[in-house]
Amino acid sequence: MTLDQREGEEIIHQKDRYQLLVDSIQDYAIFLLDTSGYIETWNKGAEKITGYTADEIIGKHLSALCPPSDIAHGKPDKQLLLAARTGSTEDEDWCVKKDGSRFWADEILTALFNKGGSLIGFAKITRDITDKKRSKHALIAANKLLKHQHIELEALNNVKDEFISLASHQLRTPATGIKQFLGLLLEGYAGNLTIQQSAYIQKAYESNERQIDLVNGLLRTAQVDAGKVNLDKSFVNLRTVIDGVVDGLRDVFDARAQSVTVIEKDNQSDIYIDEPRIRMVIENIIDNASKYTENGGAVTITLSETNMYAQVSIKDTGVGISEKDIKKVFEKFNRIPNKLSDTAGGTGLGLYWAKKIINLHKGTIGVKSAVDEGTEFIIKLPKGLSRA
Amino acid sequence: MRKLLIVEDDVSIREAFSIILRLNAEYEVTTAENGRVALDLCNQNTYDLILLDIMMPVMDGPTFLKEYSSIYPVDVTKIIIMSNLSSGSELSLVQDLGVDKTVLKSSITPERLMSIVAEALEQQGSTTREFKGNRSNSDDVGAIDNDERSVSAY
C-alpha cells in the first residue's frame, strides 16, 4: 500500500470510528445543522429522544423541535446567531417530540467553522433531562409539604398542651367540691358517723384524692412539655430535702414494715436547685421504691458529691425491672407490669416528668435494675453557682 | 362579727366554703357567683375578707379586683385568691393588684380553709398590704400544702 493510500484508509478509518461514536450513543441527540439551521444529520439518540427517524427530519429546520412559544419569540434563530457569535450556547428548555409531547432538554449548540474562519454549520447535542427536572420539582414540593406539616404539627402540639391544661384545671373544680364535703363528713361536722359510714366515706375521699393527683400529674406534664416551666432556684441542702421527704413518707414505710436508711457519704454542700420540684422528684422515686418493694424490704438513700455535682442514689430491695422494660422506664404513661403493679397505682407520668425536670437542671437520672434484684435510681444535679 | 364574702362560680364549692366558714359563729358569710354580683355587694357593705375565684363568667376575678381596688381603700379588706389554676397569666394579673394570699382550692381541707381565713383576719389592721407580689405563704400556688402530702400544687 502506498503512503497516500494508507493515509486515505486512516482517514476513512477515523471517519468510521467517529460515525460509530455518534451513531452508537443513544442517550444524546447529536446532529449537524447547516448555517441556516436545517438539520443535516441525525443519530440514534436523536431518534430515540424525539421519535423522528432520520428520513423524517433531515432537511427540516431546527424549529421543528421547538415549542410554538419559542418560535413566536424567534428563539431558534436567535440561538443560532448567538452560537455563531460566541462559539456555543447551552440552554435548558422544552423541546417537542414527533408526537407533540414535550421533554425538558439540556441543549448545547456549537458553531462550526472551516479553516478560513467561515461558518459552515452547527453541531447540536441535546439531552432529555425531563426526569431530572421532575425529580427536582418533586423534591421541592416534598420539602414544602414537610415544612407545612411541621408548622401544623407544632400548632397541634400547642393546642394539645393548652387543651390538657384547660381540661385539667376544670377537672379540679368538681374534685374540690367533693373534697370539701367528704372532709366535712369525715371530721364529724355533720354528726357522728358509724364505723362503716366513716370507712366508706374515707374510701371515696381517697379515690377523689387520687383523681386530684392524676390531674396534677397531667398538668405538670403538659406544662413541662409545653416548655412553660420556669425553675425557681435557690440554695438548698439535699440532705435536708431528703430528710423532709423521708419524714413525710414515714407512715407509708411503717405500714409496709420497710426500713429506710439515709447515708451521707460526703458532706453535702448547698446546691442551686428548684427546691419544690426536686423535692417532688425525689418523693416520687422514694415512694416508688416503697411501692415496688415487698413488705419488710429496705430502701437505702445515699448522698455523695463531686466538685461539680451532688448525687443521690435511691436503692430498693424490690421486684426490679427487666432488661427489656428498663429502657421504657422514663417514657410517658409507661407502667411496667410486675408482681406489685396492680396494687401500686399511679399515672405513669411521674418518672417522665422527673427526668424532664432533672434535665432542665442540666442534671442526669439513670436506673440500674434486674428482676427480683431491686432497683437503683441515680440522680446527679449540678451544684450550680458557688455560694459566696 | 367578721364579714366574709365568697366569690365563686361553682355552686358546690361556693356552698362547701360557705358551710365550712359558717361553722365559726364569729363569721357572717355572704356569697356571690361572679365578680359583678360581688361588686354590687361591695357597694352596699364593707367586708373584712373576700375569698375570690379567678375564672368566673360575667366578670372574672382579675376584673373584679381591678375595679374594686380603684374604688376602695386597699387596707380595709383582706383578699385571698382561691383558684384551681396552677400557673399562668391570670394569676400574675392579680399579683400586682395587692392580694394577700393565693390558695390552690383542690389542695386544701376544710380545716386548712378555716385556718387560712383565721390567719388572714388576725393580721388585719396590724399589717398593711404591699402592692406588688405579696406572696409569702405555703398555700401559694406552687407550694405543697403540708396537710396533703399527696396533693401537690403544680
Side-chain angles (χ1 to χ4, degrees), chain A residues 169 172-173 176 179-181 184 187 189 205 209 212-213 216 220 223 248-249 276-277 279-280 283, chain B residues 10 12-13 16-17 19-20 23 84-87 104-106 108 110-111 114 148-152 154:
Chain A
H169 284 134
R172 277 175 168 168
T173 299
T176 303
K179 186 177 170 113
Q180 303 310 310
F181 282 109
L184 280 169
E187 292 304 309
Y189 287 111
Y205 186 86
E209 289 296 291
I212 293 175
D213 277 350
N216 290 341
R220 275 200 294 274
Q223 208 193 15
L249 287 171
R277 289 188 167 107
R279 180 156 34 104
M280 213 182 298
E283 186 177 349
Chain B
D10 179 72
S12 300
I13 299 178
F17 286 171
I19 290 171
I20 292 166
L23 289 170
N84 269 330
L85 294 171
S86 40
S87 64
L104 183 67
K105 277 182 290 197
S106 59
I108 57 165
E111 282 85 10
M114 290 192 256
E148 303 297 331
R149 178 193 71 73
S150 58
V151 179
S152 42
Y154 283 99

Side-chain angles (χ1 to χ4, degrees), chain A residues 25-82:
Chain A
I25 290 176
Q26 305 231 27
D27 297 311
Y28 286 75
I30 307 175
F31 52 98
L32 291 170
L33 307 165
D34 70 13
T35 52
S36 304
Y38 287 90
I39 296 170
E40 288 187 325
T41 68
W42 203 239
N43 77 331
K44 282 211 183 67
E47 182 174 334
K48 183 165 173 235
I49 291 174
T50 65
Y52 285 110
T53 63
D55 293 331
E56 289 168 339
I57 196 80
I58 290 181
K60 292 224 167 78
H61 193 261
L62 179 61
S63 39
L65 302 168
C66 294
S69 49
D70 280 0
I71 300 173
H73 286 107
K75 186 169 180 198
D77 287 325
K78 281 195 185 136
Q79 273 194 316
L80 293 168
L81 221 59
L82 189 59

Side-chain angles (χ1 to χ4, degrees), chain B residues 14 68 71 85-86 88 103-104 107 134:
Chain B
R14 199 166 62 233
Y68 177 87
I71 309 172
L85 294 171
S86 40
V103 173
L104 183 67
S107 74
N134 188 18

Side-chain angles (χ1 to χ4, degrees), chain A residues 153-384:
Chain A
L153 272 171
E154 270 198 6
L156 211 63
N157 207 31
N158 287 339
V159 168
K160 172 208 88 187
D161 287 330
E162 275 176 33
F163 169 74
I164 291 177
S165 192
L166 185 67
S168 304
H169 284 134
Q170 292 183 327
L171 283 168
R172 277 175 168 168
T173 299
T176 303
I178 295 173
K179 186 177 170 113
Q180 303 310 310
F181 282 109
L182 291 182
L184 280 169
L185 274 171
L186 283 172
E187 292 304 309
Y189 287 111
N192 287 330
L193 299 171
T194 68
I195 295 186
Q196 197 172 48
Q197 284 170 343
S198 187
Y200 285 8
I201 296 169
Q202 181 66 31
K203 293 233 184 289
Y205 186 86
E206 282 163 16
S207 186
N208 189 54
E209 289 296 291
R210 273 199 300 281
Q211 175 166 286
I212 293 175
D213 277 350
L214 257 166
V215 168
N216 290 341
L218 271 170
L219 269 169
R220 275 200 294 274
T221 305
Q223 208 193 15
V224 84
D225 276 348
K228 289 205 174 118
V229 169
N230 291 320
L231 296 179
D232 185 12
K233 290 189 186 171
S234 60
F235 278 102
V236 174
N237 192 293
L238 261 188
R239 177 65 199 254
T240 317
V241 173
I242 305 249
D243 284 343
V245 169
V246 169
D247 273 344
L249 287 171
R250 189 59 66 185
D251 292 343
V252 172
F253 283 112
D254 288 346
R256 297 189 179 119
Q258 290 166 340
S259 72
V260 191
T261 321
V262 180
I263 303 171
E264 205 172 335
K265 267 169 76 181
D266 307 309
N267 229 345
Q268 296 289 312
S269 24
D270 289 355
I271 62 176
Y272 197 56
I273 54 169
D274 181 320
E275 199 239 335
R277 289 188 167 107
I278 293 294
R279 180 156 34 104
M280 213 182 298
V281 164
I282 290 176
E283 186 177 349
N284 199 301
I285 296 177
I286 296 180
D287 193 40
N288 271 354
S290 171
K291 266 196 317 218
Y292 290 105
T293 301
E294 284 103 348
N295 291 357
V299 175
T300 312
I301 300 154
T302 312
L303 286 150
S304 56
E305 262 203 2
T306 64
N307 252 335
M308 304 292 291
Y309 287 89
Q311 180 172 301
V312 188
S313 142
I314 299 161
K315 195 169 180 174
D316 64 56
T317 58
V319 297
I321 306 169
S322 73
E323 210 179 301
K324 104 169 145 63
D325 288 330
I326 209 166
K327 343 181 191 152
K328 299 186 271 172
V329 140
F330 296 108
E331 281 174 21
K332 239 189 214 176
F333 300 118
N334 178 61
R335 305 255 352 268
I336 298 167
N338 58 42
K339 280 180 255 184
L340 292 178
S341 55
D342 279 343
T343 45
T347 59
L349 289 172
L351 284 176
Y352 173 83
W353 183 80
K355 181 160 192 250
K356 287 243 162 177
I357 292 298
I358 290 172
N359 288 155
L360 278 173
H361 279 82
K362 307 269 194 296
T364 61
I365 177 168
V367 59
K368 286 196 264 202
S369 186
V371 176
D372 287 330
E373 288 175 31
T375 304
E376 183 183 10
F377 280 92
I378 302 176
I379 300 171
K380 282 204 182 90
L381 288 165
K383 289 186 185 169

Side-chain angles (χ1 to χ4, degrees), chain B residues 63-84:
Chain B
T63 313
F64 163 84
L65 206 49
K66 240 189 343 204
E67 302 235 2
Y68 177 87
S69 53
S70 67
I71 309 172
Y72 299 102
V74 301
D75 294 340
V76 177
T77 308
K78 293 278 176 179
I79 300 188
I80 298 177
I81 300 292
M82 308 286 290
S83 177
N84 269 330

Side-chain angles (χ1 to χ4, degrees), chain B residues 107-122:
Chain B
S107 74
I108 57 165
T109 58
E111 282 85 10
R112 190 74 191 113
L113 177 63
M114 290 192 256
S115 67
I116 290 170
V117 166
E119 251 173 62
L121 287 171
E122 242 173 87

